[in-house]
Amino acid sequence: MQTLCCKVSVAFLPPTLFLFFFRTLSGEICGFRIHGQNVPFEAVVLDKSTGEGVIRAKDKLDCELQKEHTFTIQAYDCGEGPDGANMKKSHKATVHIQVNDINEYSPVFKEKTYKATVLEGKKYDSILKVEAVDADCSFQFSQICNYEIVTPDVPFTIDKDGFIKNTEKLSYGKEHMYKLTVTAYDCGKNRASEDVLVKISVKPTCKPSWQGFNKRIEYEPGTGSLALFPSMHLETCDEPVSSIRASVELETNHIGKGCDRDTYSEKSLHKLCGATSGTVELLPAPSSSANWTIGLPTDNGHDSDQVFEFNGTQAIKVPNGVVSTNLKEPFTISVWMRHGPGAHEKETILCNSDKTDMNRHHYSLYVHNCRLIFLLRQDPSEAETYKPAEFHWKLDQVCDKEWHHYVLNVEFPTASLFVDGTTFEPFLVTEDYPLHATKIETQLTIGACWQENSGHDNETETAPEPTSGGNARMAQFFRGNLAGLIIRSGKLENKKVIDCLYTCKEGLDVQLPEEVASSVKVEFNPNQSSLTVEGEDIDAFDKVMQHISYLNSRQFPTPGIRHLRVATTVKCFNEDACVSVPDAEGYVMVLQPEEPKISLSGIDHFARSAAEFESQEGVTLFPELRIVSTITREVEADTEPEAADGADDDPTVQETVVSEEIMHNLDFCEVSVMGEELDGEHESLEMDPSQLKQRALEMSSSNLGLIITGVNTMANYEQVLHLIRYKNWHTEALFDRKFKLVCSELNGRYISNDFKVEVNVIHTAVPVEHANNAMVQPSFINPVHHASVDLSGHNLVNAHQASVVPSAATVVIVVCVSFLVFMIVLGVFRIRAAHQRTMRDQENGKENEMDWDDSALTITVNPMEHSSEEEEEEEEESEDGEEEDDITSAESETSEDEEGGEPEDQQAASRQQQLEWDDSTLTY
C-alpha cells in the first residue's frame, strides 16, 4: 500500500470547524478517516486537488463533560480505475482539540445553613468559613473571586476566602443571635443563585449569679403564703465552693409604721394583745368624744395607721381627767415615733407641768441630741433626799428617720425601755430632790411643754411670734411623727404584750424540706422582714431558697410595692470569697384588696306611745338592725359548652359583677343625735354595761350621743346595738326624735352608710266634759287587737309583736275609725239626697198642669223651736269637728277641704229655698 506524503495545516474557524490541508505529490485527495472511539468529530474534503479539508463537530461540545479531545486522522486518494483500486493512504496525523469554556453556571454554596457560637466580649480572627463552588470548567469561570454579607449594619465582615469574623466585641445582653445573609461571586462576576443564611449565637460569659429570678411578684390578698423564688438557682460557673450565705431582705419601711399592721386604735390593739385594763389613748383619732387631736396634721390615709405630724410649731393639751396617773404606782408609756437628726434643743414628746406660776415639769419624755430622756420628779415626801430623776438612753434609732416602737416601764426607782421589742438599759441616771409641795394644778401636753402665760386658751397651740420678755405658752416643740401614744396606769407591759404590739402582719416565711433541714441553717430577724440562709451544698441551698415565701395575714392588707433584695456571699475552700455574686433585686406587688361595703339596715321610722318613752325600759332604737358587709367581684359570664373552647380567644367576652357577703370585725359604732343635743335632765341613751363587758367592748356617752369601741365581730356589734334604748321623762312637748348610726372597721378605713332612725311620740287624748251628754265618750269600748295601724304615715311597731295595744291608744284608734266611717256614710247620704231632689224637680216640671186648692190649708209653726233645733244640730257638727281636730289634724283638714261647712248665711239661704211659708193667714 502506497503512503501519501502529506502536510496538515489547521486554521481557526468557528468553534465546531477546524480547517486543515493534506498535500499530495500526485493525484487527488478523495477523503479523510478519523481513528478513535466515540470521537464527536468528522473530517470533510473541501478541495480534492489541494487536499483541503475541514474537521467539524457532530454535536454541541460541552467543556464541563470533556475539556479536551485527541484523535488521529488519515487521508486517502481516489485510487485507480473507476472502482478506486490501489487507493493510497497517508500516514496518521494526531489531532488535539481543546474546548473553550463559557460562564454558564453561577456559584452554589456547599451548605444550606451555616451555624456558629461565640462567647460575648471576645473579638475573633475567624468565626467560621462559608464556601461556594462553580460548575464551569475553565479556571476563569470556575473560581469564586468574592464573598459578600448582604445583611446591613451587623458587626461582622467576610473576606474573599469566605472567612467571617466580628468587627467588635459582642454582648449577650444586646443580642442573643445574629442572622446574616451571605452571597458569592465567581470571577466572571456571576452571583450565587441562592444566598446562604449564617446564624451566629452569642453565648454569655459565665458570671456567677442567681438564675430564674422574677423581678415582679404579685400577691393577691387572702391567698396565704406565696413562694418568692420557685425556680431560682445559683450559678457558680463550676467553681468549687465551700460555703454559701444569702441574706433576703423585704423592705417595708414605707408601709404604715415600718410594715403592715392592723390599723385599729392603739387602745384596741392593747386589748387584743392582752393589756385589758388601765390604758388611756392620748393620740386618738378625732371624734366627738375625743376631739383634742383635731387640728393636728395626719397622714390623710386610711390604708395605713393614723400618724400625727409635729412640725415644730404645734402641740396639743390633753383635757383634765383623761389621765389620772399616780406616780407612786407602776405605769407604762408606749409610743410609735419617727424622728431624724434635729437641732441641739430639747424636743418634747409628752410633758406634765404646772398649769400656772412655777412651770415645773413633773414628768416628761423628750429627745435631746439623739438621746431619749425620761424625767420623773417625785412628789414631796417625809425625807427630802436625792432620788433618781432623769433616765438617759443613747440610741441610734432616735435619729434614723425610721419608725420605732418605744415602751417605757416605770416602777420607781427603776425604768426599763423596750425599743422594737429589745430591752435597753439607761446609760445614765441623774438624781434630784423631790418637788416642793404646792396646790398648783398640772397640764398634760403632747408635742411641747406647757409654760404659763396669760392669754387665750386653745387646745391646739402653735408657736407664737418671738417677743421680748416673758415665756411662750409652749416650749421645746417636737419635730417628727408620733402615733399610738398610750399611758397605762397600775401595771407594766410584759414582754409578750410588747412583742405582740410590735409584730408585723406581713413578712418572710420558709418551710424547710425534710431532706435539707439538717444541712442548711435559716435565721430570721424579730419582725421577719429579713432572713439569712447558710449552707455548703448548692443543691440543698437552692431548695431552701425556692421555699422562701411572702405572707400577709391581714384580711385587708395595705396595697403597694415591697422591695426585695437577695445578697449572696460564696466562699471557696481557701476560705476566700472566690466567686462574686451580684445582688438580685425585685419587688412584691400587693394588689388592692376588694373593699368591703358595710350596710346598716332595719326599721328607720316608727312611733311609740309617750308611756313607753317614760317607762323604765325606754324605747329600743334599733330593734331589727342588720349589719351586712359585701364585696363585689368581676367574673366571666357563663358560656355554652360548645362555645367555651373559643372563649379564651374572644376579646368580647363579657364580665359580670357579682356581690359576695363576707365576715369581718368592726371597731367603732357611733349613735349621734340629729337636731338638738340630749337634755340630761329628762332624756338619755342607755344600755346594759354588762353586755358590753361580756363582749370586751367599751362605751362612752355625751349629750351628742353614744360611742361603742373595741374590736369584735359584726354579729356581736349587732347584738349590742339591739340593746340601745332611748328614755324621755317629759314627753309633753316631744313629738319626734332623730338619731344616726355609723359603724366602721380598721379605725375608719371602711365606713358604713348613715343609718337614720326617726321615732315619733304618740300622745294620748284626754277626755273632755261636755254639757250635752250625747257627746260624752262611751265609758266602755270593746278591746281591738291590731298588729300595726297606719297613723299619719307612721308605722306603729310594738316592741312585743304579740302584745295588746294599750287602752288609751285603742280608744283613740276606734274613735278615729268610727268618725271616718261616719263621714263616708254622711257623704253618700248627701249625694243620694241631692240626686233625689233633682229628680223630683224634673217631675214637678212635667206635672206643672196640676193645681192645688190650698185655700182652706192652715199651717202653724213655732219659730223658736225650729231655731233651737238648728242650733243643736250646728253644735253637734261643730263638736264632731273639734273632736276630729283633737284626734288627727291631717284628716280633719282634709275633711274640711272636701266637705267644709258652708257659712251660716249660705246655710240659711239654702234652707229658705227648700221651705217656703204661706203666712197670709198667720196671726201673731
Side-chain angles (χ1 to χ4, degrees), residues 825-838 840:
V825 173
L826 180 61
V828 173
F829 174 76
R830 289 183 176 180
I831 293 173
R832 289 178 58 85
H835 180 68
Q836 291 176 359
R837 284 197 301 271
T838 303
R840 285 198 300 270

Side-chain angles (χ1 to χ4, degrees), residues 48 152 194 217 227 262 269 273 341 348 368 394-395 413 429-430 505 508 538 637 673 854:
K48 292 181 179 183
E194 291 185 3
I217 305 163
D262 283 332
L269 290 174
C273 290
T348 301
H368 188 209
K394 189 173 183 180
L395 304 167
V429 178
T430 60
K505 293 294 183 178
L508 300 174
I538 294 180
V673 182
D854 56 356

Side-chain angles (χ1 to χ4, degrees), residues 202-276:
V202 180
K203 183 180 179 181
T205 56
C206 185
K207 295 181 180 178
S209 62
W210 287 104
Q211 303 292 324
F213 176 75
N214 293 327
K215 290 187 176 181
R216 177 185 172 94
I217 305 163
E218 291 188 353
Y219 179 80
E220 184 175 352
T223 56
S225 297
L226 174 66
L228 297 176
F229 320 114
S231 305
M232 190 168 75
H233 67 277
L234 181 62
E235 175 62 60
T236 59
C237 297
D238 298 327
E239 289 286 344
V241 298
S242 60
S243 65
I244 311 170
R245 185 179 188 274
S247 174
V248 183
E249 183 178 356
L250 181 72
E251 295 183 1
T252 60
N253 294 336
H254 61 291
I255 304 295
K257 299 190 292 287
C259 66
D260 212 1
R261 297 182 174 90
D262 283 332
T263 56
Y264 296 117
S265 67
E266 198 67 23
K267 189 173 183 179
S268 297
L269 290 174
H270 274 69
K271 281 190 174 183
L272 291 174
C273 290
T276 58

Side-chain angles (χ1 to χ4, degrees), residues 110-256:
K110 290 184 175 181
E111 303 289 342
K112 292 184 176 180
T113 303
Y114 291 87
K115 297 180 180 179
T117 301
V118 297
L119 289 175
E120 67 172 344
K122 184 178 180 181
K123 197 170 181 180
Y124 291 81
D125 293 333
S126 175
I127 297 175
L128 79 161
K129 180 183 179 181
V130 296
E131 187 175 359
V133 294
D134 196 313
D136 289 317
C137 65
S138 64
F139 179 82
Q140 178 183 4
F141 298 137
S142 63
Q143 295 300 309
I144 305 300
C145 287
N146 188 27
Y147 290 93
E148 181 182 350
I149 297 176
V150 180
T151 306
D153 301 328
V154 290
F156 299 94
T157 185
I158 188 170
D159 61 15
K160 65 179 182 177
D161 296 322
F163 289 100
I164 298 176
K165 65 179 180 179
N166 54 323
T167 58
E168 63 183 39
K169 294 181 179 180
L170 305 180
S171 172
Y172 178 80
K174 182 178 180 181
E175 191 71 43
H176 294 355
M177 176 185 288
Y178 291 91
K179 295 181 179 181
L180 314 177
T181 302
V182 177
T183 191
Y185 294 91
D186 61 17
C187 294
K189 296 184 179 181
N190 268 6
R191 181 173 174 169
S193 57
E194 291 185 3
D195 299 338
V196 71
L197 178 63
V198 179
K199 296 180 180 179
I200 300 177
S201 300
V202 180
K203 183 180 179 181
T205 56
C206 185
K207 295 181 180 178
S209 62
W210 287 104
Q211 303 292 324
F213 176 75
N214 293 327
K215 290 187 176 181
R216 177 185 172 94
I217 305 163
E218 291 188 353
Y219 179 80
E220 184 175 352
T223 56
S225 297
L226 174 66
L228 297 176
F229 320 114
S231 305
M232 190 168 75
H233 67 277
L234 181 62
E235 175 62 60
T236 59
C237 297
D238 298 327
E239 289 286 344
V241 298
S242 60
S243 65
I244 311 170
R245 185 179 188 274
S247 174
V248 183
E249 183 178 356
L250 181 72
E251 295 183 1
T252 60
N253 294 336
H254 61 291
I255 304 295

Side-chain angles (χ1 to χ4, degrees), residues 327 352-354 358-363 375-385 387 389 432-438 440 442:
L327 299 182
N352 187 30
S353 59
D354 289 337
M358 302 183 70
N359 295 329
R360 298 175 305 171
H361 296 178
H362 294 253
Y363 65 89
L375 169 68
L376 177 61
R377 300 293 300 277
Q378 288 294 303
D379 291 334
S381 59
E382 297 179 358
E384 292 188 358
T385 58
K387 294 183 178 181
D432 202 348
Y433 279 109
L435 295 173
H436 296 291
T438 63
I440 301 175
T442 59

Side-chain angles (χ1 to χ4, degrees), residues 644-671:
D645 296 337
D648 296 337
D649 301 330
D650 186 4
T652 62
V653 174
Q654 298 294 324
E655 291 187 345
T656 305
V657 178
V658 297
S659 181
E660 178 182 345
E661 184 174 344
I662 63 171
M663 301 300 295
H664 58 78
N665 292 330
L666 296 177
D667 64 349
F668 176 88
C669 279
E670 180 179 12
V671 181

